Amino acid sequence: MAVVSQSRVVQDSRIMMDSASGRGSILGEKRGGVAMADDTACNGNSRPRKHKNEGFGDFGKYMAEKKRKLSLQFQAEASDGVRSMMEDAKFHLTSDGKPPSNMDVANAAVVHRDLTGLFDGISIFVDGFTIPSHQELRELMLKHGGRFENYFSCDVVTHIICSTLPDSKIRDHRSFSRGLPVVKPSWIVDSISCGRVLPVSSYVHERIARDHPNQSTLLRFLDSTKEDSNNCLLKKDVHMKNQSHNVHNPLASSHTSSSKKDIEHSPVSKKGLICDSKISSAHGSGLESPSEYARSHCTLGDANFVQNYFKNSRLHFIGTWRTRYQNRFGTGRENQDQQHDGYSTSDNMFRTIMHVDMDCFFVSVAVRNRPELVGKPLAVCHSDKTKGTAEISSSNYTARAFGVKSGMFIRDAKALCPDLEVVPYDFEGYEQVADEFYDILHKHCKRVQAVSCDEAYVDVTGVEDPDFLASQIRKEINDLTKCTASVGIAGNLLMARIATKKAKPDGQFRIHPNQVEDFLSHMSIEDLPGVGWSLQERLNRKGIYDCKQLQAIPKEILQGDFGVKTGDMLWCYARGIDNRQVQNYQERKSIGAEVNWGVRFNSPSDAHHFLTSLCEEVSGRLQEAFLIGRTLTLKIKKRKEGAREPEKFMGCGSCDNLSKSITLGCATNDAQVMLRVTKQIFASFHLDIHNIRGMGLQVTKLEQNVSSVYTQGQQHQKVLEACLQFSPKGNLGKKLLDDESVHRSNATALSEIQDRDNLLHINHQHAIPSDKKQKSFKEKKRVESFGKIRKGPFSGLKQPFMSKEKERQNVSSLPHYSELDQSVLQSLPPEIIAELDNAYSGAVIQNLTSFKTHVTGKRFEEQESFPSIPLQNILSNTCNEKEDHFGVQSNLIQSLDPKQSVGRTQTSSFRDGNGEPDLSSLSLSQVDIATLEELPYDVREDILRSLKTHKSNALELVTEVVENSNESDKQELLLSGGSSGLLHCHQEAQLVGLWDGDPPKWIELSKNLQGAGAAFLQHISKAFYAHEHPESLSCILRDAMHLREFLMPMHLDQAWEESMSFRCCLELFKQYLLSKISDDLEEVYIILHTVKRLATEAIFWKRIVQILVPFIQESVKDIYGGGFSVMTTGYDEI
DNA sequence: ATCCTCCCCTAC
DNA sequence: TAAGGTAGGGGAGGAT
Ligand SMILES: Nc1ccn([C@H]2C[C@H](O)[C@@H](COP(=O)(O)OP(=O)(O)OP(=O)(O)O)O2)c(=O)n1
Ligand SMILES: [Mg+2]
Ligand SMILES: [Mg+2]
């Protein structure tokens, strides 16, 4: 089931069409454009400065340092009062807070010998995740006379370095390595240790060596041209680990913000914008093959283009900053009051809002320790070329006096200000200063809304002297970061923001309520936040230039002209009204990645490779956020007809934007699933790949990925199996078999499973690839899901049951695709779909797409992209079963919700119409809790999982269930993690009553555990015994903390979230905290904060917190009522 | 009315 | 030579 919507061709309004953008008006009002049209840049005496590559590549080091600091800081707080231990801890730390790394070893060797020329003539390109890291390898190479290439070019690079090689990488290297040796990083480390360059032979990756023995030119050609490259995408074993999510390093600037303001402030008058002569004369294809240099810096020359690009993109840095911030400081959602949305929602309360923004942030960071630059006009930019098209990221106030602004091309900036000095990017510096900045803000107030890495709103309502607080904060920022910040203070976010503008640089400004009107009446509309290039144009066209004029327009008119909300916004803002609240936390609604620079393809396989990178990138980000999503949107920038190679180097130029989306029946974060869908969308465009200038992938309809922890993993599998196989009288079987009619809902819920059985036991075994041993965790999960489904003993109920005999017969061959019930297919979890899809080489997803497309009456324009199997086959084949399937399901719905007869829940709507059996289309409110709670846990779990659950929805529902449960059920349900009832499993049974006995049961249990949490458990076991009479977990924890660095699982295997040790840790805390909630809330508080601190350092703990906090919060709510928050902030306040 | 998709706009 | 990303708000228009 997939919805495919039709694409539309859209004009790009954001990225300026080079200098030609001035023509935007031709295209109507949605033109954003800027551009200094003047090509004849002044040839000022710029002092060329070698900055390139100096500022980046070291982000990891900052992160390590940050980690170390956090460690120490944590230590100080966690062991508070235990000074001597703290000293101990410090003593144990190495310089970077970790055990000595390979690099340390290598460095140690250097001390003894002069190896500065060791790697003379050797130039490496590092591919993917390595140990030592990319950055460390770079340093090692540079230090020892070698070269380090950020981009792959077979002309320069002599060795490719990489650690682990997923299949996909092998393929990449075949086409990209051009016969160069692909060696392990230890070759470098060992060579340094030995003081000579060791032969690569023992460091070569065998698989590449085997697959790819010194490829001849001919072979290479064949390899890269065979449409085999297409297939290879299907087979890629996607490993996310070497993604670039943690990377943040880079530079860049965009034309983006140049939109309105640049026009306004540009020395070139608005009407004076000049057409790009190249464009106006363009008649040819507009396609020029990139120069050798360009080639090596675009998608054509770099197998890891996406990753490398992001490492250097400033916009990527600021765009992804928020995620890193939340990972460090937590979501802060605990502090969220109830929301006031909208600009005009009435809110009587008088507030005091502070807006804090660093002055010319990137420049300030660069200048921190370079006093010699003070006073000069400065800009942060990748390039210092007088004719360059690199963008200015930030300029200082001296340079701004010349008109130099963010987003401007360097050549234009140089034209305005020939003395402009360029300083390089320093992404780790920005990250560090931002951390310090927020540390200070958090220290003063817990209601902080992070706008960006250099900017935040703070609600300081109730503070007696906000001006003093502002000066205090500014001083602290300046002292700590050596950068200046400005502060605006007012009664709402809008006015505070405006006040900051007035305050800059290095100042503060307060707008009292009675000054608002005065202040605004003199203000141009484009200075209103929210009014960009487009709105400004539209307003100007109506003769409106300042707020006073805007105020004269009745709200209804504005709403008619600009839309209800926008009109409201304009009306309110013109009067200084803004009732938005300071929001600590905002739930993420989409995750995406796009690249619109350096994108050039020569063959479909280039494009497919790029799509693969995008999918891996997005999949990785989803996984890091523990999210899955249902809708994939592919966005493509296509060279506009007649547009030439852009003026901006490797830019996308003037483009049409195409976009199309597909909604899956089941949310996913699997790169392979995403890739198939994405490739399908891509194919449907039928583009000449030469015209593609940019692509992006976005995932929406996000849900929390609970399945990775409980529902679809091994545990759940075992529960079901145990229940079905060994306990026919257990909940599940009993209710069903004993009393069908009474427990109809049970049966119907199970019918879903059963239907899957019908579908899957035909093929579940052959669907499992033979090379299981190298299969990923996900693969394993799928395998087990199949196992679960085939075990169903309820086959006699309604559907024909396939005997074990027949089952076996079918092992060797796939049933014809048309034998599969499409409607059942749709309701399968993504893992299973992916598995089936693999077995049918992509036909499943393709057909799900068409199925839904047909059913909803939408059509693809591009028929060819559609499956070869006639729709009738699918429908006719499934007709009978569908009746049952849907009928049964609708029974479930009805029984769940006897009161409501919402259209969707009616039987008929399931039978006819779109035939969508998707439980997820139900809203939670349609589910009758009373019925639900009668279900056995397993069934309940299935239903909950089927329901559309984003974030805490599932939890809320479960909480409701819990509230209505009897005490023992409640305890059990709670213990099992909120949304899963897994305690029947014998393994799970071990996790019950972890604190029973003396010593508590977990001590014994932890002895036999391995994996992520085992080290932690064993350490606190020791701490437990070290205490004569341990009175609380918090004191055990505190004493164990000085060994904290050993408690941080560094290498999590893929199944860590389901490992016994992880679950044991989780249960340990859950059960303990539960027992403390009623009589020792302080203990609960301390524990949660301690764990939350650990969470800043390791994903293991982050996950613990993610599960633990909402869970405990709910329980606290049960006992103390709402409004009682266990967590105040992510960083200790109070 | 309300939802959904496909955009555009805005901000950093 | 260069690194034009990311996410939310919201409007138009169609389906229900
Ligand atoms: N088009 C843009 C806008 C901003 N930034 C980066 C560089 C800025 O330093 C940082 C913060 O953006 P601000 O809007 O706060 O601008 P500055 O801090 O540079 O200047 P100001 O003093 O006006 O705040 O984001 C960028 O790279 N490109
Ligand atoms: Mg700033
Ligand atoms: Mg800012």
PDB file of all heavy atoms in Angstrom, chain A residues 357-361 454 504, ligand 2:
ATOM      1  N   ASP A 357      21.918  36.319  21.285  1.00  0.00           N
ATOM      2  CA  ASP A 357      22.491  35.914  19.996  1.00  0.00           C
ATOM      3  C   ASP A 357      23.955  36.339  19.946  1.00  0.00           C
ATOM      4  O   ASP A 357      24.297  37.475  20.249  1.00  0.00           O
ATOM      5  CB  ASP A 357      21.714  36.575  18.855  1.00  0.00           C
ATOM      6  CG  ASP A 357      22.110  36.029  17.486  1.00  0.00           C
ATOM      7  OD1 ASP A 357      23.306  36.109  17.143  1.00  0.00           O
ATOM      8  OD2 ASP A 357      21.232  35.541  16.767  1.00  0.00           O
ATOM      9  N   MET A 358      24.794  35.401  19.575  1.00  0.00           N
ATOM     10  CA  MET A 358      26.213  35.719  19.452  1.00  0.00           C
ATOM     11  C   MET A 358      26.429  36.677  18.286  1.00  0.00           C
ATOM     12  O   MET A 358      25.773  36.572  17.251  1.00  0.00           O
ATOM     13  CB  MET A 358      27.026  34.443  19.207  1.00  0.00           C
ATOM     14  CG  MET A 358      26.843  33.347  20.245  1.00  0.00           C
ATOM     15  SD  MET A 358      27.449  33.809  21.861  1.00  0.00           S
ATOM     16  CE  MET A 358      29.215  33.812  21.549  1.00  0.00           C
ATOM     17  N   ASP A 359      27.349  37.577  18.455  1.00  0.00           N
ATOM     18  CA  ASP A 359      27.648  38.511  17.374  1.00  0.00           C
ATOM     19  C   ASP A 359      28.520  37.824  16.334  1.00  0.00           C
ATOM     20  O   ASP A 359      29.487  37.140  16.670  1.00  0.00           O
ATOM     21  CB  ASP A 359      28.373  39.740  17.932  1.00  0.00           C
ATOM     22  CG  ASP A 359      27.535  40.441  19.000  1.00  0.00           C
ATOM     23  OD1 ASP A 359      26.312  40.533  18.802  1.00  0.00           O
ATOM     24  OD2 ASP A 359      28.115  40.870  20.014  1.00  0.00           O
ATOM     25  N   CYS A 360      28.183  38.046  15.103  1.00  0.00           N
ATOM     26  CA  CYS A 360      28.898  37.461  13.953  1.00  0.00           C
ATOM     27  C   CYS A 360      29.624  36.179  14.364  1.00  0.00           C
ATOM     28  O   CYS A 360      30.840  36.088  14.359  1.00  0.00           O
ATOM     29  CB  CYS A 360      29.866  38.447  13.329  1.00  0.00           C
ATOM     30  SG  CYS A 360      30.915  39.346  14.485  1.00  0.00           S
ATOM     31  N   PHE A 361      28.794  35.211  14.650  1.00  0.00           N
ATOM     32  CA  PHE A 361      29.252  34.039  15.388  1.00  0.00           C
ATOM     33  C   PHE A 361      30.499  33.372  14.811  1.00  0.00           C
ATOM     34  O   PHE A 361      31.519  33.236  15.503  1.00  0.00           O
ATOM     35  CB  PHE A 361      28.106  33.030  15.469  1.00  0.00           C
ATOM     36  CG  PHE A 361      28.409  31.837  16.321  1.00  0.00           C
ATOM     37  CD1 PHE A 361      28.969  31.980  17.583  1.00  0.00           C
ATOM     38  CD2 PHE A 361      28.126  30.563  15.855  1.00  0.00           C
ATOM     39  CE1 PHE A 361      29.235  30.871  18.365  1.00  0.00           C
ATOM     40  CE2 PHE A 361      28.393  29.448  16.639  1.00  0.00           C
ATOM     41  CZ  PHE A 361      28.957  29.600  17.896  1.00  0.00           C
ATOM     42  N   ASP A 454      23.880  29.645  17.808  1.00  0.00           N
ATOM     43  CA  ASP A 454      24.366  30.907  18.405  1.00  0.00           C
ATOM     44  C   ASP A 454      23.233  31.754  18.965  1.00  0.00           C
ATOM     45  O   ASP A 454      23.391  32.932  19.211  1.00  0.00           O
ATOM     46  CB  ASP A 454      25.168  31.711  17.369  1.00  0.00           C
ATOM     47  CG  ASP A 454      24.297  32.631  16.531  1.00  0.00           C
ATOM     48  OD1 ASP A 454      23.171  32.235  16.189  1.00  0.00           O
ATOM     49  OD2 ASP A 454      24.756  33.743  16.242  1.00  0.00           O
ATOM     50  N   LYS A 504      22.814  44.906  18.773  1.00  0.00           N
ATOM     51  CA  LYS A 504      24.080  44.446  18.205  1.00  0.00           C
ATOM     52  C   LYS A 504      24.935  45.600  17.706  1.00  0.00           C
ATOM     53  O   LYS A 504      24.397  46.593  17.229  1.00  0.00           O
ATOM     54  CB  LYS A 504      23.800  43.482  17.034  1.00  0.00           C
ATOM     55  CG  LYS A 504      23.540  42.082  17.508  1.00  0.00           C
ATOM     56  CD  LYS A 504      23.189  41.172  16.356  1.00  0.00           C
ATOM     57  CE  LYS A 504      23.047  39.744  16.821  1.00  0.00           C
ATOM     58  NZ  LYS A 504      24.261  39.127  17.315  1.00  0.00           N
TER      59      LYS A 504
HETATM   60 MG    MG D   2      24.463  35.687  15.641  1.00  0.00          MG
END
